[in-house]
Amino acid sequence: MSKPIKLAILGLGTVGTGVVHLINDNLNELKRRSGRDIIITEVGTRRQRDDIDSSITQNADLMTVASSDNVDIVIELIGGTTLAKDVIMHAIKNGKHVVTANKALLAEHGNEIFALAEANGVHVAYEAAVAGGIPIIKVMREALAANRVDWLAGIINGTGNFIMTEMRDKGRPFDDVLAEAQALGYAEADPTFDVEGIDAAHKLALLASIAFGIPLQFDKVYCEGITGITLQDVNYAEELGYRIKHLGFAVRRTGEQDNAGQGNADEDNAGIELRVHPTLIPQDALLANVNGVKNAVLVNSHPLGQTLYCGDGAGAGATASAVMADVMDLVRVLGSNDDSNSANNSQYVPHLAFIPEQLSDTTILRAEQMTTGYYLRVHAFDHPGVLADITRILSDAGINIDAILQKPAHKLGQVPVIILTLPVVESQMNVAIEKIEQLESITDKVVRIRLDELS
Ligand code: HSE
C-alpha cells in the first residue's frame, strides 16, 4: 500500500474549514478514487482551534508549516498577495506542491510563481481560484485542449451576480444584499473587489492565459464594476428584451472581419480584448438566467462551438470541492505506483496548459480599440428635432442603431431616450457621445452600458 499523502492547510476561514469538513465527510471516496490515504497533518492558523482533530499540528508560523517534512501538498487559503506569496514561494523552494484558491495572487504574480514551480519540478494547481466549484480550469486545460478558443464570456463573481439578481427580482437595495453576501461567506475580505469587478478581472486574467496561451496580464484587463448600475437601467433593459449581467470577456479579434460593415476596418484592432463590465445580454440567453451566487462560463471554441459550464461560484462547499479536485489530481501524479512523492511531470498538464516556451505575445487591446454593442441612456429636453440630432451624430460616426425607446417626459420636460447599437469600436463611440453631450438639449452625461448578443 502506498504511503499516505500529507496535506497542510494554511488558513482556516470559510474555505479552509470547508476543506476540513469535505475530507472528513468524503474520506472513503477520496481514498477509493486516489488509491491512497489522504491525511491533514498540519494546519496554519493564527488562533488555536479546538474544533480540529488533536492529531493535526496547529501552528501560527505559516513558513514552518509550508516547509515541514511532514507535508507533501500545501493548500494555501489565507488570501492576499503578500504573506501568501512568501509562503507559496517558500513551499515551492522546499519541493512542496501547492494548491491555492488565491486568484489575486496568481493574476498579479502568477508568471513568477509558475516559473519558480517549473524550476523546482513542483505543481501549482488553482481550480478553486476561478468560478468556485465549476471545474473550468480543468476543462480549459484538458477537455478543450484541441480547440482554438475564439472567445469566452463568464459570470465569474458570485457576489456580484447575487447582488444583481436580488436587485432585479426583489428591488432590494445594494448595500443590504452585499451585507448578506458577506454574511454567507461569498464576498472577498475587501468587498470592493467584488463590486468594482477586480475579483472578476483576476479570474479573467487566469482564464485568458489558458484560452490564448498568453502570459498573465491582469494589469491590461479593462475593469468596470456594478456600483453604477441603477434599477432604472435594469428595467429599461428588461423592457427591450435584455438583462444586465456583470461579465468578463476574453475575445480574440482578427481586426478586419470584426469591423466589417462598420466602415472602420482597422488592423490596429487585431489582438485580444480582456474586459470586465456590466453587459446587456438577451433575456433568453442561458447566461442571462444564471442567478444568485451561481457562476457560468460560456466558451466559444473551434471546432466544438459554444459550451456552457455552470455552478456555485463561491462559498465553502463549492470552493472546497475545487481545492480537493486539485489535490486528487496531484495525488494521481505523485507516484501512485510506488512510494515516491516526486511528481511524474510528463503526465501533468503544465500550469497554464501550454509549454512555457510557447507563450504567445499577442497584443492586448486598449479599451478604445475594443468592439461592443452599446445601451445608451440620454436625457434630453423634449424639443422638436432632438432625436434627429442624436441619431444623426450616431450615423455620422458610422454607428448602426438597433433599437430606440423614448419615454414620455417625466420631469421638467426631460425625456429619457434609450438607444441600442450594433457593435462599434469604443473610440468611435467616445467621439459620438462627446458630441451628443455637447447638444444644447442634452441635460446629463450619457449613461452607457455595453451590450453583447453572445452569438
Ligand atoms: N468573492 C468571490 C465571489 C468568491 O463572490 O465570487 C469566489 O472567488
Side-chain angles (χ1 to χ4, degrees):
M1 175 74 174
S2 298
K3 63 182 181 180
I5 286 286
K6 293 175 277 187
L7 308 180
I9 301 178
L10 305 183
L12 284 180
T14 305
V15 179
T17 307
V19 171
V20 174
H21 288 161
L22 188 159
I23 292 174
N24 288 341
D25 293 349
N26 293 354
L27 190 58
N28 286 339
E29 297 301 320
L30 296 174
K31 282 188 197 171
R32 211 145 44 99
R33 290 178 181 149
S34 67
R36 291 179 77 167
D37 201 0
I38 295 178
I39 52 174
I40 304 170
T41 51
E42 306 207 9
V43 294
T45 171
R46 265 181 311 207
R47 282 182 296 114
Q48 282 286 311
R49 296 265 299 248
D50 49 19
D51 57 339
I52 296 296
D53 194 283
S54 58
S55 65
I56 301 172
T57 307
Q58 300 192 36
N59 195 335
D61 180 355
L62 304 189
M63 297 299 249
T64 301
V65 178
S67 54
S68 164
D69 287 342
N70 204 23
V71 169
D72 301 313
I73 299 174
V74 171
I75 303 176
E76 183 276 309
L77 301 170
I78 59 174
T81 53
T82 49
L83 177 59
K85 183 181 177 198
D86 292 344
V87 166
I88 285 181
M89 301 292 262
H90 184 63
I92 292 171
K93 285 178 194 158
N94 281 277
K96 311 297 180 194
H97 302 279
V98 173
V99 173
T100 179
N102 195 332
K103 54 260 160 161
L105 177 63
L106 293 183
E108 292 175 31
H109 303 286
N111 296 324
E112 184 186 346
I113 290 170
F114 292 131
L116 187 71
E118 202 68 36
N120 283 272
V122 297
H123 300 298
V124 176
Y126 53 98
E127 185 64 69
V130 181
I134 306 174
I136 188 65
I137 299 294
K138 194 168 179 73
V139 164
M140 300 278 293
R141 280 158 46 101
E142 299 182 24
L144 298 185
N147 279 260
R148 179 195 74 222
V149 176
D150 291 325
W151 56 262
L152 62 85
I155 296 173
I156 44 180
N157 181 267
T159 302
N161 201 34
F162 182 63
I163 293 173
M164 293 296 296
T165 304
E166 291 288 302
M167 280 175 71
R168 190 193 72 236
D169 289 354
K170 302 179 187 156
R172 288 178 65 191
F174 188 94
D175 291 341
D176 183 32
V177 191
L178 176 57
E180 187 181 345
Q182 288 176 283
L184 291 168
Y186 302 153
E188 294 303 296
D190 176 353
T192 59
F193 274 41
D194 296 297
V195 298
E196 299 293 357
I198 301 161
D199 177 72
H202 286 144
K203 295 165 181 168
L204 186 76
L206 285 164
L207 284 176
S209 69
I210 301 173
F212 303 126
I214 54 176
L216 290 154
Q217 294 170 83
F218 165 69
D219 54 331
K220 295 192 181 149
V221 180
Y222 170 81
C223 182
E224 235 181 84
I226 57 171
T227 49
I229 297 298
T230 64
L231 225 38
Q232 191 183 12
D233 293 315
V234 169
N235 292 336
Y236 286 146
E238 292 282 332
E239 208 172 315
L240 287 158
Y242 290 84
R243 187 152 297 159
I244 305 178
K245 287 288 186 186
H246 190 248
L247 295 176
F249 286 89
V251 183
R252 186 199 299 273
R253 296 279 181 205
T254 53
E256 290 150 37
Q257 83 261 26
D258 297 309
N259 298 327
Q262 302 284 314
N264 61 352
D266 183 353
E267 280 184 19
D268 284 341
N269 294 335
I272 291 170
E273 293 180 1
L274 300 178
R275 49 189 167 85
V276 163
H277 48 74
T279 318
L280 274 76
I281 56 175
Q283 267 164 10
D284 59 1
L286 288 172
L287 271 188
N289 295 286
V290 172
N291 292 318
V293 74
K294 290 269 187 294
N295 279 200
V297 182
L298 178 63
V299 184
N300 192 43
S301 63
H302 176 79
L304 176 59
Q306 290 195 5
T307 47
L308 179 71
Y309 310 90
C310 180
D312 277 1
T319 315
S321 162
V323 165
M324 285 309 293
D326 276 343
V327 169
M328 298 288 279
D329 253 4
L330 284 172
V331 171
R332 290 188 186 105
V333 294
L334 282 173
S336 49
N337 295 323
D338 57 35
D339 275 359
S340 158
N341 270 344
S342 60
N344 184 347
N345 290 328
S346 65
Q347 291 182 9
Y348 197 82
V349 181
H351 312 284
L352 292 174
F354 46 83
I355 316 292
E357 298 79 49
Q358 303 289 320
L359 276 178
S360 158
D361 59 359
T362 312
T363 308
I364 307 300
L365 297 175
R366 299 187 313 279
E368 57 272 25
Q369 296 173 295
M370 295 175 180
T371 306
T372 63
Y374 280 90
Y375 160 104
L376 305 178
R377 173 160 56 81
V378 186
H379 277 244
F381 278 115
D382 192 11
H383 296 156
V386 176
L387 202 51
D389 287 342
I390 297 170
T391 55
R392 196 187 49 255
I393 289 173
L394 291 172
S395 97
D396 286 352
I399 298 170
N400 207 336
I401 295 172
D402 195 35
I404 295 193
L405 174 70
Q406 189 189 312
K407 290 291 181 183
H410 67 300
K411 64 164 184 173
L412 304 173
Q414 288 177 37
V415 285
V417 179
I418 315 301
I419 297 168
L420 305 186
T421 79
L422 293 185
V424 53
V425 177
E426 178 161 324
S427 56
Q428 282 175 270
M429 183 52 88
N430 290 344
V431 171
I433 287 180
E434 206 181 313
K435 287 188 179 156
I436 291 172
E437 286 175 345
Q438 281 164 5
L439 289 172
E440 267 183 23
S441 323
I442 301 305
T443 56
D444 293 315
K445 285 267 178 211
V446 174
V447 171
R448 65 163 110 180
I449 305 174
R450 287 174 178 75
L451 180 152
D452 201 301
E453 298 290 343
L454 299 176
S455 53

